[in-house]
Every structure is written in structure tokens, then in C-alpha cells.
């Protein structure tokens, strides 16, 4: 059927989803997607912090995210504490050489770290960063 001048025009849209569409999207997103969006939003609110996925390499940057895992990498002479941090965009490994543990750094805590990112064995890594513990995931900073 062809369109004639007597038929009404299609509704004009602004390109933004309606309230029902936004509600449906929110209800059907996985908890992983919701958590990722929340972490991205929280780290965007902090001054000077860049998302891990956007961080340039070999330049001093500050990132913020949630600790996913803490692993002691035993070496014969020098141990290394490996902490995986995720900010909703990508993961980053924070590695402290010569440390077996750091008080307060446990899975679920939010951490802000400053240092230079490099890629080691196809994994983004920051060695011996300066850091600040922000709190548990989901808590407001302040």
C-alpha cells in the first residue's frame, strides 16, 4: 500500500527512548551491566580520574575501581602482590613488588591508584602505584 497525502504522517521522534523503553531497558539489563554502569558513573564523578579503558600507557594517570581479586605471586627472592581492579570499562592489575599484603586491600573495596600503565603479557598493569582506599563498592565517597 502506498502512502497518500490523506494519511497522517508518522510521529516525529527525537531519537531518545521513551519512558517505557527506558524502564524496560533498566529491568532487562543484567546485574553485571548495572554494576559496570554504576562503576563508570562513580569514577567519572572524581576529579582527575580516567577510565581504565581510556587510559593512555606510559603516562602518569589516576584510575578508580573495585578490587576483584588479590593474589600473592611468590617469587624466590621478591614476592609480588597482584590486585585486579575493574572500573566498568576494563580491568587493570596493580602490582606491588616486595609486598605480601597491604592492609585494607580486599575484594570488594574501592581503590584509587596513580601510576603509569604498561602492558605485560597482554594485561594492563601498573607497578607500585600510589593508592587511596575509597571504601566498599556501592558506598558513597565522602
Amino acid at each position: 500500500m502506498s502512502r497518500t497525502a490523506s494519511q497522517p504522517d508518522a510521529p516525529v521522534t527525537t531519537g531518545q527512548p521513551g519512558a517505557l523503553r527506558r524502564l524496560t531497558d533498566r529491568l532487562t539489563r543484567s546485574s553485571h551491566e548495572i554494576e559496570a554502569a554504576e562503576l563508570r558513573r562513580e569514577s567519572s564523578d572524581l576529579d582527575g580520574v580516567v577510565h581504565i579503558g581510556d587510559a593512555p600507557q606510559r603516562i602518569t594517570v589516576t584510575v578508580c575501581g573495585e578490587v576483584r581479586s588479590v593474589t600473592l605471586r611468590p617469587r624466590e627472592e621478591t614476592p609480588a602482590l597482584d590486585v585486579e581492579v575493574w572500573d566498568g570499562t576494563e580491568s587493570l592489575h596493580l602490582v606491588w613488588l616486595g609486598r605480601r599484603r597491604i592492609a585494607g586491600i580486599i575484594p570488594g573495596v574501592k581503590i584509587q591508584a596513580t601510576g603509569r600503565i604498561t602492558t605485560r603479557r597482554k594485561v594492563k598493569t601498573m607497578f607500585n602505584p600510589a593508592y587511596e582506599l575509597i571504601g566498599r563498592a556501592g558506598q558513597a565517597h565522602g
Side-chain angles (χ1 to χ4, degrees):
M1 177 169 154
S2 64
R3 187 174 182 91
T4 64
S6 62
Q7 290 179 330
D9 290 338
V12 176
T13 61
T14 61
Q16 296 181 10
L20 182 58
R21 175 61 187 246
R22 287 191 307 269
L23 177 62
T24 302
D25 286 347
R26 207 172 0 181
L27 294 175
T28 58
R29 287 193 303 178
S30 70
S31 60
H32 178 76
E33 292 171 323
I34 294 168
E35 183 181 6
E38 181 66 19
L39 281 169
R40 284 191 302 271
R41 186 194 60 73
E42 286 175 2
S43 61
S44 295
D45 291 346
L46 300 172
D47 288 334
V49 172
V50 297
H51 290 294
I52 295 168
D54 300 333
Q57 294 200 14
R58 293 184 242 125
I59 295 174
T60 302
V61 295
T62 299
V63 297
C64 181
E66 179 181 333
V67 173
R68 292 298 181 145
S69 66
V70 179
T71 307
L72 174 62
R73 306 260 184 235
R75 304 273 192 260
E76 287 188 25
E77 290 115 28
T78 307
L81 184 65
D82 185 333
V83 176
E84 182 185 4
V85 175
W86 184 64
D87 73 347
T89 64
E90 208 169 317
S91 290
L92 171 70
H93 285 253
L94 306 177
V95 177
W96 285 273
L97 301 172
R99 304 290 299 261
R100 295 185 186 280
R101 70 181 224 72
I102 297 175
I105 297 183
I106 57 173
V109 75
K110 287 188 63 192
I111 188 169
Q112 186 170 313
T114 302
R116 294 178 185 204
I117 296 175
T118 186
T119 301
R120 181 176 162 252
R121 297 182 186 152
K122 298 182 182 180
V123 175
K124 285 189 173 187
T125 306
M126 186 183 284
F127 288 97
N128 297 320
Y131 70 93
E132 177 183 348
L133 298 178
I134 307 243
R136 300 293 294 177
Q139 285 183 330
H141 177 59

Coordinates of all heavy atoms in Angstrom, one line a residue, residues 31-67:
S31 N 22.7 -7.8 36.1 CA 23.3 -7.2 37.2 C 24.7 -6.7 36.9 O 25.2 -5.7 37.4 CB 23.3 -8.1 38.4 OG 24.0 -9.3 38.2
H32 N 25.4 -7.5 36.0 CA 26.8 -7.2 35.6 C 26.8 -5.8 34.9 O 27.6 -4.9 35.1 CB 27.4 -8.3 34.7 CG 28.7 -8.0 34.2 ND1 29.9 -8.1 35.0 CD2 29.2 -7.6 33.0 CE1 30.9 -7.8 34.3 NE2 30.5 -7.4 33.1
E33 N 25.8 -5.6 33.9 CA 25.7 -4.4 33.2 C 25.4 -3.2 34.1 O 25.9 -2.1 33.9 CB 24.7 -4.5 32.1 CG 25.0 -5.5 31.0 CD 23.9 -5.7 30.0 OE1 22.7 -5.8 30.5 OE2 24.1 -5.8 28.8
I34 N 24.5 -3.4 35.1 CA 24.1 -2.4 36.0 C 25.3 -2.0 36.9 O 25.6 -0.8 37.1 CB 22.9 -2.8 36.9 CG1 21.7 -3.0 36.0 CG2 22.7 -1.9 38.0 CD1 20.5 -3.7 36.7
E35 N 26.1 -3.0 37.4 CA 27.2 -2.7 38.2 C 28.3 -2.0 37.4 O 28.9 -1.0 37.9 CB 27.8 -4.0 38.7 CG 29.0 -3.8 39.6 CD 29.5 -5.1 40.2 OE1 29.1 -6.2 39.7 OE2 30.5 -5.1 41.0
A36 N 28.5 -2.4 36.1 CA 29.5 -1.7 35.3 C 29.1 -0.2 35.0 O 30.0 0.6 35.1 CB 29.6 -2.4 33.9
A37 N 27.9 0.0 34.8 CA 27.4 1.4 34.6 C 27.6 2.2 35.8 O 28.0 3.4 35.8 CB 25.9 1.4 34.1
E38 N 27.3 1.6 37.0 CA 27.5 2.4 38.3 C 28.9 2.7 38.5 O 29.3 3.8 38.9 CB 26.9 1.5 39.4 CG 27.0 2.2 40.8 CD 26.1 3.4 40.9 OE1 25.2 3.6 40.1 OE2 26.4 4.2 41.8
L39 N 29.8 1.7 38.3 CA 31.3 2.0 38.5 C 31.8 3.0 37.5 O 32.6 3.9 37.9 CB 32.1 0.7 38.3 CG 32.0 -0.3 39.5 CD1 32.6 -1.6 39.1 CD2 32.8 0.3 40.7
R40 N 31.3 3.0 36.3 CA 31.7 4.0 35.3 C 31.3 5.4 35.8 O 32.0 6.4 35.7 CB 31.2 3.7 33.9 CG 31.9 2.6 33.2 CD 31.5 2.6 31.7 NE 30.1 2.4 31.5 CZ 29.4 1.2 31.5 NH1 30.1 0.1 31.6 NH2 28.1 1.1 31.3
R41 N 30.0 5.5 36.3 CA 29.5 6.8 36.7 C 30.3 7.3 37.9 O 30.6 8.5 38.0 CB 28.0 6.6 37.1 CG 27.4 8.0 37.4 CD 26.0 7.8 38.1 NE 26.0 7.1 39.3 CZ 26.5 7.6 40.5 NH1 27.0 8.7 40.6 NH2 26.4 6.8 41.6
E42 N 30.5 6.4 38.9 CA 31.2 6.8 40.1 C 32.6 7.3 39.8 O 33.1 8.3 40.4 CB 31.3 5.6 41.1 CG 30.0 5.3 41.8 CD 30.1 4.1 42.7 OE1 31.1 3.5 42.8 OE2 29.0 3.7 43.2
S43 N 33.4 6.6 38.9 CA 34.7 7.1 38.6 C 34.7 8.3 37.8 O 35.7 9.1 37.9 CB 35.5 5.9 38.0 OG 35.0 5.6 36.7
S44 N 33.7 8.6 37.0 CA 33.6 9.8 36.3 C 33.3 11.0 37.2 O 33.7 12.1 36.8 CB 32.4 9.7 35.3 OG 32.6 8.7 34.3
D45 N 32.8 10.8 38.3 CA 32.5 11.9 39.3 C 33.7 12.4 40.0 O 33.7 13.4 40.6 CB 31.5 11.4 40.3 CG 30.1 11.2 39.8 OD1 29.8 11.6 38.6 OD2 29.2 10.6 40.4
L46 N 34.8 11.6 39.9 CA 36.1 12.0 40.7 C 37.0 12.8 39.8 O 37.2 12.5 38.6 CB 36.8 10.8 41.1 CG 36.0 9.9 42.1 CD1 36.8 8.5 42.3 CD2 35.8 10.6 43.4
D47 N 37.5 13.9 40.3 CA 38.4 14.8 39.5 C 39.7 14.2 39.2 O 40.3 13.5 40.1 CB 38.7 16.1 40.3 CG 37.4 17.0 40.4 OD1 36.6 17.0 39.5 OD2 37.4 17.8 41.4
G48 N 40.1 14.3 38.0 CA 41.4 13.8 37.5 C 41.5 12.3 37.3 O 42.5 11.7 37.0
V49 N 40.4 11.6 37.4 CA 40.3 10.1 37.2 C 39.9 9.8 35.8 O 39.0 10.4 35.3 CB 39.4 9.4 38.2 CG1 39.2 8.0 37.9 CG2 39.9 9.6 39.7
V50 N 40.6 8.9 35.2 CA 40.3 8.4 33.8 C 39.8 7.0 33.9 O 40.2 6.2 34.8 CB 41.5 8.5 32.8 CG1 41.9 10.0 32.7 CG2 42.6 7.7 33.3
H51 N 39.0 6.6 33.0 CA 38.6 5.2 32.9 C 39.7 4.3 32.4 O 40.5 4.8 31.6 CB 37.4 5.0 31.9 CG 36.1 5.6 32.4 ND1 35.4 5.1 33.5 CD2 35.4 6.6 31.9 CE1 34.4 5.9 33.7 NE2 34.3 6.8 32.7
I52 N 39.8 3.1 32.9 CA 40.9 2.2 32.6 C 40.9 2.0 31.1 O 42.0 2.0 30.4 CB 40.8 0.9 33.4 CG1 41.1 1.2 34.9 CG2 41.8 -0.1 32.8 CD1 40.7 0.0 35.8
G53 N 39.8 1.8 30.5 CA 39.7 1.6 29.1 C 40.1 2.7 28.2 O 40.5 2.5 27.1
D54 N 40.1 3.9 28.8 CA 40.6 5.1 28.0 C 42.0 5.6 28.4 O 42.5 6.6 27.8 CB 39.6 6.3 28.3 CG 38.2 6.0 27.9 OD1 38.0 5.2 27.0 OD2 37.2 6.6 28.5
A55 N 42.6 5.0 29.4 CA 43.9 5.5 30.0 C 45.0 5.2 29.0 O 45.2 4.1 28.5 CB 44.2 4.8 31.3
P56 N 45.8 6.3 28.7 CA 47.0 6.1 27.9 C 48.1 5.3 28.6 O 48.1 5.4 29.9 CB 47.4 7.5 27.6 CG 46.9 8.3 28.7 CD 45.6 7.6 29.2
Q57 N 48.9 4.7 27.9 CA 50.0 4.0 28.5 C 51.3 4.9 28.6 O 51.4 5.8 27.9 CB 50.4 2.7 27.7 CG 49.2 1.7 27.7 CD 49.6 0.4 27.3 OE1 50.8 0.0 27.3 NE2 48.7 -0.5 27.1
R58 N 52.1 4.5 29.6 CA 53.4 5.2 29.9 C 53.3 6.6 30.3 O 54.2 7.4 30.1 CB 54.3 5.0 28.7 CG 54.7 3.5 28.6 CD 55.7 3.3 27.5 NE 55.1 2.4 26.5 CZ 55.0 2.7 25.2 NH1 55.4 3.8 24.7 NH2 54.4 1.9 24.4
I59 N 52.1 7.1 30.7 CA 51.9 8.4 31.2 C 51.2 8.3 32.5 O 50.3 7.4 32.7 CB 50.9 9.2 30.2 CG1 51.6 9.4 28.9 CG2 50.6 10.6 30.8 CD1 50.8 10.1 27.8
T60 N 51.6 9.1 33.5 CA 51.0 9.0 34.8 C 49.5 9.4 34.8 O 49.2 10.4 34.3 CB 51.8 10.0 35.8 OG1 53.1 9.6 35.8 CG2 51.2 9.8 37.2
V61 N 48.7 8.4 35.3 CA 47.3 8.6 35.3 C 46.7 8.2 36.6 O 47.4 7.4 37.4 CB 46.5 7.8 34.2 CG1 46.9 8.3 32.8 CG2 46.8 6.3 34.3
T62 N 45.5 8.6 36.9 CA 44.8 8.1 38.1 C 43.6 7.4 37.7 O 42.8 7.9 36.9 CB 44.4 9.3 39.0 OG1 45.6 10.0 39.4 CG2 43.7 8.8 40.3
V63 N 43.4 6.2 38.2 CA 42.2 5.4 37.9 C 41.5 5.0 39.2 O 42.1 5.1 40.3 CB 42.6 4.1 37.1 CG1 43.2 4.4 35.8 CG2 43.5 3.2 38.0
C64 N 40.3 4.6 39.1 CA 39.5 4.2 40.3 C 38.6 3.1 39.9 O 38.0 3.1 38.9 CB 38.6 5.4 40.8 SG 37.7 5.1 42.2
G65 N 38.5 2.1 40.8 CA 37.7 0.9 40.5 C 37.5 0.0 41.7 O 38.0 0.4 42.8
E66 N 36.9 -1.1 41.5 CA 36.6 -2.1 42.6 C 37.6 -3.2 42.5 O 37.9 -3.7 41.4 CB 35.2 -2.6 42.4 CG 34.9 -3.6 43.4 CD 33.5 -4.2 43.2 OE1 32.6 -3.5 42.6 OE2 33.2 -5.3 43.6
V67 N 38.2 -3.6 43.6 CA 39.1 -4.7 43.7 C 38.3 -6.0 43.4 O 37.4 -6.3 44.1 CB 39.8 -4.8 45.1 CG1 40.7 -6.0 45.2 CG2 40.7 -3.5 45.3

